[in-house]
């Protein structure tokens, strides 16, 4: 089919970067001449119907991609596709003009969907799909009427998998209640890790009979968890820092083996302090691959940093603004603009003084740290991470991950970097471009943590 450039220019009249988009679609047409340009749908040559929405921020913003199943197709939910047909690919997650374009996106779709087809033919029983029948029978068996079933679906209520919280202190309760509020888990287990009886907060949860929640000091209730969150701490003001830290390590030696024995396929989220050290300890004691053990790290402060910048600039900075490194006073604030031709551009109608805005936003974040209610803030952050993992969203978070061979760090230490999370844990780690001073700060943190770890008996 002939490429109608004039018609396309007219159709994209309101696009901010129309000429660049038209030029790219020319290249798409050269590579994939069977695709026709339209404002809504085109189809791939592998008979997987897709819809790609090229937004008016193109080519600097990624397109939205969806499967468009026919009446006899069913979406196969997986790592790269959700139940609504939304497509999530690393290529989209790390979209950066001019390194990425629609041609490259199509090539990645072909590669990924060849490995695991995202659609399959709908089986039927007397005109009713097997999936619909199973869903209906499951709802009936739980006592739901057809009316309540429809109302649940219309409300978009979706819960996935099982979560266990280890520790029933203030932080454990904050994590549990935040996860319940977000309704992302089918079942929630809270395991007391103290030698004493179950504490007041978890006892009240049991007294008032919260649905889908089981509470005990028996680790068997955690069996089959998809995500295990560790909030347990043994801090006391009467010990030296190293002695208190060793006490925490000793506690982990008791609880981690039990947790992984009952949930060998889980992802571990460590919220215990100091989080970078305890994430390393959790990784060593679990025997898991590093991608299945993450620490809450700088996720909370990154979310605050992005929110403050986004509100002031009235623009999304989710892909370029991060708090990384060691959790605490030595963290590093990073804000990078889109890269073009090896350099950075910053639109003058968005910002005039990049560094001043970054410093201001970071001061606000530090103010929030001082004024915020720590347990509940961290609890909300943990629920955010849990949702991304359980729903397989493939969203990036600044979490504590193994830093080996990054920024000249050779030791096995954990620091925060932007990590794309799925139900399998960390799928991809991004290492932002840093100044020499920022890299030196990360290496200094790594050296300090390495020295501390060498003094502990793990």
């Amino acid at each position: 089919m002939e490429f109608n450039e004039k018609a396309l220019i007219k159709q994209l009249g309101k696009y901010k970067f129309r000429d660049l988009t038209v030029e790219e679609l020319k290249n798409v047409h050269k590579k994939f001449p069977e695709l026709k340009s339209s404002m809504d749908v085109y189809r791939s040559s592998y008979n997987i119907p897709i819809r790609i929405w090229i937004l008016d921020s193109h080519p600097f913003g990624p397109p939205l991609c969806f499967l468009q199943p026919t009446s006899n197709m069913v979406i196969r939910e997986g790592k790269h596709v959700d139940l609504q047909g939304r497509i999530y690919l690393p290529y989209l997650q790390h979209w950066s003009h001019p390194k990425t374009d629609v041609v490259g996106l199509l090539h990645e779709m072909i590669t990924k969907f060849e490995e695991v087809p995202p659609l399959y033919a709908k089986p039927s029983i007397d005109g009713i799909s097997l999936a619909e029948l199973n869903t209906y029978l499951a709802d009936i068996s739980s006592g739901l009427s057809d009316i309540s079933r429809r109302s649940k679906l219309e409300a978009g209520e979706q819960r996935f998998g099982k979560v266990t919280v280890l520790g029933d202190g203030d932080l454990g309760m904050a994590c549990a209640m935040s996860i319940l509020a977000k309704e992302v888990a089918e079942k929630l287990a809270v395991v007391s890790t103290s030698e004493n009886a179950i504490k007041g907060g978890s006892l009240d949860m049991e007294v008032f009979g919260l649905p889908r929640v089981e509470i005990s000091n028996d680790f068997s209730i955690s069996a089959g968890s998809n995500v295990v969150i560790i909030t347990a701490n043994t801090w006391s003001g009467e010990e030296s820092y190293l002695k208190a830290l060793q006490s925490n390590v000793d506690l982990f030696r008791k609880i981690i083996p039990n947790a992984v024995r009952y949930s060998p396929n889980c992802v571990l989220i460590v919220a215990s302090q100091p989080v970078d050290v305890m994430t390393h300890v959790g990784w060593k004691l679990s025997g898991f691959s590093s991608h299945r053990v993450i620490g809450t790290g700088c996720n909370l402060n990154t979310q605050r940093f992005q929110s403050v910048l986004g509100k002031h600039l009235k623009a999304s900075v989710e892909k370029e603004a991060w708090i990384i490194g060691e959790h605490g006073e030595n963290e590093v604030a990073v804000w990078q603009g889109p890269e073009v031709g090896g350099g950075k551009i910053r639109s003058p109608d968005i910002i005039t003084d990049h560094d001043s805005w970054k410093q201001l936003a970071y001061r606000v974040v530090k103010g929030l740290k001082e004024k915020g209610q720590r347990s509940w803030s961290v609890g909300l952050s943990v629920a955010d991470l849990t949702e991304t993992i359980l729903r397989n969203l493939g969203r990036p978070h600044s979490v504590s991950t193994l830093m080996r061979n990054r920024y000249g760090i050779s030791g096995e230490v954990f620091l925060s970097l932007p990590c794309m999370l799925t139900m399998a844990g960390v799928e991809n780690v991004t290492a932002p471009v840093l100044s020499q001073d920022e890299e030196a700060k990360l290496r200094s943190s790594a050296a300090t943590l390495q020295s501390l770890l060498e003094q502990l008996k793990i």
Side-chain angles (χ1 to χ4, degrees):
M1 178 176 290
E2 185 178 349
F3 184 79
N4 192 334
E5 183 175 351
K6 290 184 178 180
L8 193 58
I9 290 174
K10 185 176 181 181
Q11 287 176 326
L12 305 183
K14 295 183 178 180
Y15 276 43
K16 296 176 184 176
F17 312 104
R18 182 194 63 192
D19 294 342
L20 286 171
T21 302
V22 170
E23 198 62 33
E24 183 176 335
L25 291 179
K26 279 185 185 178
N27 293 330
V28 172
H29 181 72
K30 291 177 183 177
K31 296 285 186 179
F32 301 93
E34 69 275 17
L35 295 177
K36 70 173 184 178
S37 299
S38 75
M39 294 300 287
D40 49 3
V41 178
Y42 60 84
R43 301 181 186 278
S44 76
S45 59
Y46 285 89
N47 298 320
I48 297 175
I50 57 173
R51 173 173 288 173
I52 298 180
W53 291 98
I54 298 178
L55 307 180
D56 63 355
S57 58
H58 196 86
F60 298 105
L64 298 177
C65 303
F66 295 85
L67 295 173
Q68 193 70 21
T70 61
S71 59
N72 64 342
M73 292 180 175
V74 175
I75 293 171
R76 187 195 305 273
E77 184 187 18
K79 187 193 306 185
H80 302 302
V81 178
D82 65 18
L83 284 173
Q84 286 70 46
R86 176 78 178 270
I87 297 171
Y88 300 89
L89 293 169
Y91 198 90
L92 288 168
Q93 193 67 49
H94 302 289
W95 186 275
S96 177
H97 176 77
K99 297 177 182 178
T100 52
D101 54 30
V102 177
V103 171
L105 173 61
L106 288 168
H107 279 303
E108 173 143 315
M109 284 187 186
I110 290 170
T111 301
K112 297 297 185 184
F113 293 163
E114 275 183 337
E115 295 172 359
V116 181
L119 297 169
Y120 61 93
K122 181 188 292 185
S124 62
I125 302 174
D126 295 332
I128 302 176
S129 79
L130 186 59
E132 290 172 337
L133 182 61
N134 287 339
T135 300
Y136 184 78
L137 290 175
D139 286 344
I140 293 298
S141 66
S142 62
L144 294 174
S145 68
D146 189 59
I147 293 175
S148 64
R149 182 175 71 89
R150 285 200 303 271
S151 65
K152 278 179 62 178
L153 293 176
E154 288 166 1
E157 181 180 343
Q158 296 180 0
R159 293 188 293 270
F160 304 84
K162 180 177 179 178
V163 176
T164 289
V165 176
L166 301 183
D168 60 345
D170 290 344
L171 179 55
M173 290 299 94
C175 291
M177 295 304 294
S178 297
I179 289 167
L180 288 174
K182 288 182 78 73
E183 296 189 315
V184 296
E186 293 171 303
K187 296 180 181 178
L188 177 66
V190 178
V191 179
S192 174
T193 57
S194 65
E195 298 295 331
N196 301 323
I198 293 175
K199 296 180 181 179
S202 53
L203 179 61
D204 287 340
M205 290 177 74
E206 191 170 22
V207 168
F208 288 98
L210 291 178
R212 310 191 310 277
V213 180
E214 192 171 0
I215 304 160
S216 176
N217 55 13
D218 186 345
F219 277 82
S220 65
I221 68 168
S222 69
S225 294
N226 303 92
V227 174
V228 173
I229 301 158
I230 307 167
T231 68
N233 272 308
T234 61
W235 294 110
S236 111
E238 301 176 357
E239 301 173 293
S240 68
Y241 180 73
L242 189 60
K243 188 174 181 181
L245 193 51
Q246 183 62 55
S247 179
N248 240 16
V249 171
D250 294 340
L251 175 61
F252 268 43
R253 292 174 68 178
K254 295 177 182 178
I255 65 178
I256 297 292
N258 279 320
V260 301
R261 176 161 66 95
Y262 284 107
S263 302
N265 299 312
C266 72
V267 173
L268 288 178
I269 299 178
V270 180
S272 304
Q273 294 297 316
V275 66
D276 299 312
V277 173
M278 299 316 298
T279 304
H280 177 277
V281 173
W283 170 54
K284 283 294 186 181
L285 294 176
S286 68
F288 285 176
S289 299
S290 60
H291 73 272
R292 290 175 56 197
V293 183
I294 63 173
T296 52
C298 298
N299 183 61
L300 172 59
N301 285 342
T302 290
Q303 296 289 343
R304 289 169 168 171
F305 188 50
Q306 292 175 350
S307 177
V308 171
L309 277 174
K311 286 179 180 177
H312 282 286
L313 302 179
K314 298 180 181 177
S316 174
V317 295
E318 292 181 357
K319 291 188 175 182
E320 56 191 64
W322 300 94
I323 304 295
I324 64 171
E326 183 181 1
H327 178 255
E329 294 303 314
N330 292 321
E331 62 194 14
V332 175
V334 179
W335 181 20
Q336 298 174 324
E339 293 186 2
V340 176
K344 299 184 180 67
I345 63 168
R346 302 182 181 108
S347 176
D349 61 343
I350 292 179
I351 188 164
T352 56
D353 192 335
H354 178 276
D355 292 334
S356 295
W357 273 98
K358 185 175 83 169
Q359 292 170 15
L360 175 61
Y362 186 57
R363 284 201 298 271
V364 173
V365 169
K366 294 191 76 171
L368 289 172
K369 286 170 63 177
E370 295 170 359
K371 296 179 180 179
Q373 209 289 340
R374 182 189 173 279
S375 293
W376 279 106
S377 298
V378 176
L380 291 168
S381 175
V382 168
D384 181 47
L385 297 173
T386 303
E387 179 183 36
T388 295
I389 294 169
L390 285 184
R391 293 188 173 179
N392 200 37
L393 297 179
R395 292 189 305 208
H397 295 269
S398 184
V399 291
S400 192
T401 191
L402 187 61
M403 288 287 291
R404 186 171 50 203
N405 299 327
R406 294 187 173 92
Y407 301 112
I409 297 170
S410 59
E412 293 183 336
V413 297
F414 280 66
L415 296 172
S416 287
L417 282 179
C419 297
M420 186 172 72
L421 302 183
T422 68
M423 64 175 62
V426 176
E427 182 168 300
N428 189 56
V429 180
T430 301
V433 177
L434 303 180
S435 68
Q436 290 183 351
D437 288 344
E438 290 167 339
E439 285 197 22
K441 195 171 184 180
L442 289 190
R443 287 194 291 271
S444 175
S445 289
T448 300
L449 292 175
Q450 188 69 49
S451 175
L452 190 59
L453 288 167
E454 290 171 355
Q455 299 177 65
L456 298 174
K457 298 176 182 178
I458 300 176

